[in-house]
Amino acid sequence: MATSSLVVVQLLMVSLLASTFALSSAAGRSFDKDFDITWGDGRGKILNNGQLLSLSLDQASGSGFQSKDEYLFGKIDMQLKLVSGNSAGTVTAYYLSSQGPTHDEIDFEFLGNLSGDPYTLHTNVFSQGKGNKEQQFHLWFDPTADFHKYSILWNPQRIVFSVDDTPIREFKNSESIGVPFPKNQPMRIYSSLWNADDWATRGGLVKTDWTNAPFTASYQNFNAEACVPSSGDSSCTSGSPSPNKNAWLTQELDSTNQGKMKWVQKNYMIYDYCKDTKRFPEGMPVECATSNLS
């Protein structure tokens, strides 16, 4: 499909949302209205009148939560403060996912560390049940000292991962060259804190030190501008007096943000599947040879 035709199809798909989806803006709402603690036997807690959520992990169990709503495209923001100290072996996962064997998924995973070592921020994109599109980064700050914002922009043209409004990765829609892209399955927000010391830290060489338990991660200031399945008449593309209200549906990276992303990737990226020739001896994934992946 020619590029111009692809753009037309994507815009038509966005316009179809008008009859089936309502716009959700969760700014200023409380966690108890937007999320359910789904496992952990009390280790997940909603505190401060719904303004703070915490997950904890001990030797018996971790914990997790999920959003009440499903989303099909959106700009999702969450502030996280990660497990401090010796967090080796632990993983704090924060992601969007649908269900089933052909699920779609957009991942942030924070792999724990020994005290003083940097966290590894692991990103991945799944479509139709297939992932294997990992990029990993170190962060330019201590993610355990304070809250920082981690954002996912997901629209029909691209997925952008950002940290404190600095883009670190862009995964463009490359369906025109046969690369599946998440666009048809609504996804919920999930997060969990769990023990993965068989692989999380230095490939499983460093195990979880349970004398430091319980391990705790905290969440605040959730915001979602997103399309939510609805039978109502409102939509993501119409009924707004402000033409910029739903700008995220067609948002792309301007030159300034492209420069920021290149800076992050040059200085803080530690793994890129598109450069792992040993992993793909029969040839690199097709998108790696194009400019459609950043």
Side-chain angles (χ1 to χ4, degrees):
M1 184 183 293
T3 300
S4 58
S5 298
L6 179 62
V7 170
V8 170
V9 170
Q10 291 171 349
L11 290 174
L12 286 172
M13 182 170 60
V14 171
S15 67
L16 287 174
L17 293 171
S19 61
T20 56
F21 287 84
L23 181 69
S24 169
S25 180
R29 296 180 61 179
S30 59
F31 278 106
D32 51 6
K33 292 181 180 178
D34 291 298
F35 293 93
D36 292 315
I37 305 293
T38 49
W39 64 284
D41 194 23
R43 292 172 179 82
K45 294 180 171 63
I46 296 175
L47 307 165
N48 295 357
N49 294 318
Q51 300 306 300
L52 180 71
L53 190 152
S54 68
L55 297 180
S56 65
L57 163 70
D58 57 36
Q59 200 160 6
S61 178
S63 51
F65 65 84
Q66 70 180 44
S67 62
K68 296 179 186 291
D69 285 333
E70 293 182 311
Y71 306 97
L72 183 60
F73 306 125
K75 186 178 185 300
I76 311 296
D77 302 325
M78 184 82 81
Q79 290 187 350
L80 280 73
K81 183 163 68 172
L82 300 179
V83 175
S84 61
N86 180 0
S87 58
T90 72
V91 172
T92 304
Y94 165 57
Y95 58 103
L96 292 166
S97 183
S98 60
Q99 297 298 307
T102 58
H103 76 290
D104 295 340
E105 190 171 319
I106 303 170
D107 290 341
F108 276 117
E109 289 188 291
F110 303 90
L111 312 185
N113 61 356
L114 290 169
S115 296
D117 290 343
Y119 258 80
T120 295
L121 171 52
H122 174 99
T123 67
N124 203 355
V125 176
F126 287 74
S127 186
Q128 300 175 21
K130 296 181 180 180
N132 300 322
K133 302 182 187 303
E134 302 92 342
Q135 289 184 353
Q136 294 183 340
F137 305 82
H138 286 156
L139 295 168
W140 50 96
F141 53 83
D142 180 357
T144 73
D146 205 347
F147 286 91
H148 292 268
K149 183 167 70 172
Y150 302 90
S151 304
I152 294 170
L153 169 67
W154 171 37
N155 64 33
Q157 299 84 36
R158 58 188 41 82
I159 296 164
V160 178
F161 298 80
S162 297
V163 178
D164 288 336
D165 296 320
T166 296
I168 64 171
R169 177 181 185 178
E170 180 180 25
F171 185 83
K172 293 183 180 179
N173 184 333
S174 299
E175 290 179 303
S176 61
I177 56 172
V179 181
F181 185 83
K183 67 174 187 179
N184 297 318
Q185 301 186 63
M187 295 193 271
R188 294 186 192 275
I189 302 167
Y190 295 89
S191 190
S192 58
L193 175 57
W194 52 291
N195 178 45
D197 66 2
D198 56 335
W199 65 270
T201 307
R202 294 183 59 199
L205 294 177
V206 183
K207 302 300 182 182
T208 303
D209 182 352
W210 294 110
T211 64
N212 293 309
F215 304 97
T216 301
S218 301
Y219 304 74
Q220 68 177 20
N221 290 340
F222 166 67
N223 182 48
E225 297 176 33
C227 299
V228 176
S230 171
S231 58
D233 294 329
S234 59
S235 74
C236 292
T237 56
S238 65
S240 170
S242 169
N244 296 320
K245 183 175 181 180
N246 306 327
W248 57 268
L249 269 170
T250 54
Q251 185 176 337
E252 56 187 72
L253 295 180
D254 60 20
S255 58
T256 298
N257 280 306
Q258 288 175 3
K260 290 179 179 179
M261 183 172 66
K262 289 178 180 178
W263 173 80
V264 172
Q265 294 182 351
K266 178 181 178 180
N267 292 284
Y268 296 100
M269 180 184 284
I270 59 172
Y271 178 81
D272 181 358
Y273 78 104
C274 276
K275 297 179 181 178
D276 192 345
T277 55
K278 292 182 180 179
R279 182 178 174 186
F280 302 103
E282 298 180 358
M284 302 300 291
V286 61
E287 70 269 17
C288 295
T290 76
S291 60
N292 286 345
L293 184 81
S294 299

